């Protein structure tokens, strides 16, 4: 790198690979692109944080307003309804597997019951079949 012995980088060597049709603008374009992507990501994060903050502040204002109305109604002697959160929690994987197994067992039980009924019906037909086929053998 350096041409004189007194220069700081005289003993350093450059190891540069020649890239066919590569221009310096390609590198600068890439750096500029990465910089714009970074700026966009930061802008998106900041806007998301602003949205979350505004949502929180709006809910705080709404809750204070509702609390004020509740106190006013209590003071006037009106009935105050307490809001409750009604939600169902998602099933765990274990609960889902139990439900599937129970459903599968009920289906197999239905098939077994149906097979048992068919067997009982065929039992009643055995005497009839025996009469028919035994009568042919006796003749």
């Amino acid at each position: 790198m350096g041409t004189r012995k007194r220069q700081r980088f005289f003993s350093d060597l450059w190891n540069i690979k020649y890239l066919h049709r590569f221009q310096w603008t390609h590198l600068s374009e890439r750096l500029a692109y990465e910089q714009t992507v970074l700026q966009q990501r930061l802008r998106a994060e900041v806007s998301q944080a602003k949205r979350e903050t505004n949502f929180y502040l709006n809910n705080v204002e709404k809750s204070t307003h509702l609390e004020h109305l509740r106190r006013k109604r209590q003071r006037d002697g009106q009935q105050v309804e307490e809001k409750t959160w009604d939600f169902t929690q998602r099933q765990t994987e274990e609960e889902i597997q139990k439900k599937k197994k129970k459903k599968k067992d009920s289906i197999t039980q239905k098939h077994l019951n149906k097979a048992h009924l068919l067997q009982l019906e065929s039992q009643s037909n055995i005497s009839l079949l025996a009469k028919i086929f035994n009568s042919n053998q006796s003749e």
Side-chain angles (χ1 to χ4, degrees):
M1 282 177 34
T3 56
R4 298 185 181 106
K5 284 191 176 185
R6 289 190 178 182
Q7 288 182 340
R8 184 176 174 186
F9 301 106
F10 176 75
S11 62
D12 293 344
L13 294 176
W14 280 17
N15 187 6
I16 300 175
K17 183 175 182 178
Y18 174 73
L19 300 173
H20 184 63
R21 293 185 182 168
F22 178 79
Q23 296 176 354
W24 192 255
T25 56
H26 295 147
L27 185 61
S28 60
E29 286 174 3
R30 176 66 184 232
L31 292 173
Y33 172 74
E34 289 176 357
Q35 189 67 26
T36 56
V37 167
L38 179 66
Q39 291 295 329
Q40 287 176 347
R41 190 179 315 124
L42 289 175
R43 255 187 265 120
E45 288 178 9
V46 167
S47 66
Q48 178 68 22
K50 282 183 182 178
R51 264 185 268 138
E52 289 173 358
T53 305
N54 288 336
F55 179 74
Y56 176 76
L57 291 176
N58 288 337
N59 282 340
V60 168
E61 289 178 16
K62 192 185 294 184
S63 68
T64 55
H65 177 69
L66 291 175
E67 184 66 24
H68 176 70
L69 286 176
R70 188 181 66 80
R71 286 183 186 162
K72 185 178 177 183
R73 286 184 182 157
Q74 272 184 339
R75 202 175 11 169
D76 294 341
Q78 294 177 354
Q79 182 67 23
V80 179
E81 294 181 13
E82 291 293 327
K83 297 267 182 170
T84 59
W85 297 97
D86 186 28
F87 63 93
T88 57
Q89 188 172 353
R90 286 178 53 187
Q91 293 180 336
T92 62
E93 190 65 30
E94 184 177 312
E95 292 171 337
I96 293 170
Q97 294 299 326
K98 283 182 182 178
K99 188 176 179 182
K100 284 183 180 180
K101 186 176 180 183
K102 185 177 178 182
K103 186 176 181 181
K104 186 179 178 182
D105 289 344
S106 68
I107 290 172
T108 55
Q109 188 63 36
K110 285 180 184 177
H111 288 304
L112 288 173
N113 290 341
K114 190 173 182 180
H116 184 67
L117 287 174
L118 288 173
Q119 186 179 12
L120 290 176
E121 288 176 9
S122 66
Q123 289 289 334
S124 63
N125 293 335
I126 287 178
S127 61
L128 177 65
L129 291 172
K131 288 179 185 176
I132 293 171
F133 289 110
N134 287 337
S135 66
N136 289 339
Q137 289 177 355
S138 61
E139 291 177 6

